[in-house]
């Protein structure tokens, strides 16, 4: 098995690369997986993207993202995201669930709205071969992006549904600080609910807005190998996707960043 | 009982005010409590500060701060902080425990170092009538400021010691997102371990470095009254201290900010 057999590059990590260039580079470097985002996919064209990655033999490991259930009036856009995932040939739609409803101050209300929306969306997705992957986001996003802050919360939301329908994303950036996360990973793995495993390192100081400070592997505070071993030990053997939002990386040559990311993965994760 | 009977202003909230001006304003407004920081106290003079607040009849509700146990080679500076607390007449030294040790990537190691240091410091503090108040900081500070991210973790650290020696700080800014915090508050209250209750609101977007974005009461996502009621229900009836680090507030007239803070407290907390 190649060192890169489980490696997947999320396209946002190198968003400066045009999709055909990214796909070519993946083939050249032996990168088998790619994570896609709806907006750049729409820009290139949904069918055109699907054909491009299929012809190159790449696996689409995830589509980001559905969710924002606490602010949207209906689920139409989330059903569209499911349809797009199916067209792209990925089995996993990542959910960023949404923060407090407008004017609200009660996270439990937000969490309840999220549960209701997932209950509506999960059967629709399952009919199309798409699993919903609830991503707990770091607590610093609880107010405005995602009221689901821990793997425990994400698992509690997932548990009413079959594991083939609803699971969780384990993203090191979001959960590394949580002393309860290792037990939650073990439980999620035992239930077959680890639907995606994503990597980013924790670097400080955080940038304004705290969105684009996801660090290159090895640059920060997170023991990447320990996390990979922890997730492996849960029984998960699927893709390991590197998803970095980082202004400094985006300012550099995209091909150079991709090659660096592959090297860092081999050095810090395997 | 006056509306402000439990109100305390942390001096960092209005750091633009010279200490005598702040003390005068507290007397004029009927603010009975003040939280102090070591650096501005040292600047004004320890004994001079102690006399100033004592003569004004103010209660020093907390001294910030001891801690940073994961990077300091010895505990001398923390013993000095205890001595200063005793001189200032406060019974509560707030601990910001420290993040990962230099080059380290294991939060459990940091937490273990913190526990060891508290074990050394607690008896020294107790002999001087000072309680150690472990402050869990928001998980966004786990790497570089405080590996204690939840009230559960802080309580677990405190529990080997008598409640009269070691307790916790409940700061809304740091724990509001945590669905396990209400149970931890109840437990801490039942044990007599709520040693300080501090308020700041959660406003977004966060500023670069995420240190000086603590929002004015009522400006953000936190239901301040619900938190006050929660902490009251735990049996805590001590001071309620408003501690804001906020560049926008610091840029304004300090007296105006103090008066606004008092009004916001009455409006959003009582």
């Amino acid at each position: 098995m190649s060192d890169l057999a489980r490696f997947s590059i999320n396209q946002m990590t190198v968003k400066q690369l045009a999709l055909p260039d990214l796909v070519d580079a993946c083939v050249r470097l032996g990168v088998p997986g790619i994570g896609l985002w709806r907006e750049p996919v729409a820009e290139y064209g949904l069918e055109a993207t699907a054909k491009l990655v299929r012809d190159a033999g790449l696996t689409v490991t995830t589509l980001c993202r559905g969710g924002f259930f606490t602010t949207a009036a209906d689920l139409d856009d989330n059903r569209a995201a499911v349809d797009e995932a199916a067209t792209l040939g990925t089995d996993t739609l990542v959910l960023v669930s949404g923060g407090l409803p407008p004017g609200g101050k009660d996270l439990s209300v937000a969490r309840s709205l999220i549960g209701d929306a997932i209950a509506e969306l999960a059967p629709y997705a399952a009919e199309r071969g798409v699993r919903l992957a609830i991503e707990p986001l770091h607590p610093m996003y609880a107010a405005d992006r995602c009221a689901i802050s821990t793997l425990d919360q994400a698992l509690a939301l997932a548990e009413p549904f079959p594991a083939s329908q609803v699971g969780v994303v384990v993203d090191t950036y979001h959960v590394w600080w949580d002393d309860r996360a290792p037990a939650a990973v073990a439980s999620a793995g035992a239930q077959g609910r680890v639907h995606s495993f994503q990597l980013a390192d924790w670097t400080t100081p955080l940038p304004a807005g705290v969105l684009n400070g996801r660090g290159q592997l090895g640059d920060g505070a997170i023991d990447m190998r320990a996390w990979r071993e922890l997730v492996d030990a849960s029984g998960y053997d699927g893709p390991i996707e590197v998803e970095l939002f980082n202004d400094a990386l985006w300012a550099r040559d995209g091909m150079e960043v991709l090659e660096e990311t592959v090297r860092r993965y081999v050095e810090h994760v395997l």
Side-chain angles (χ1 to χ4, degrees), chain A residues 10 30-31 37 43 54 58 71 85 94 100 117 127 134 144 159 168 190 222-223 234-235 253 260:
Chain A
N10 187 286
V31 170
W37 278 65
E43 203 173 308
R54 193 171 56 236
L58 297 182
T71 47
V94 173
L100 290 167
E127 284 170 18
I134 304 168
D144 53 356
E159 276 170 357
V168 302
I222 304 176
D223 186 335
S234 82
D253 176 75
E260 175 183 274

Side-chain angles (χ1 to χ4, degrees), chain A residues 140-141 144 173 203 205-214 245 247:
Chain A
M140 69 188 175
Y141 302 115
D144 53 356
Y173 191 78
T203 50
L206 294 167
V210 300
L211 283 176
N212 300 329
R214 290 170 63 98
F245 315 137
D247 289 321

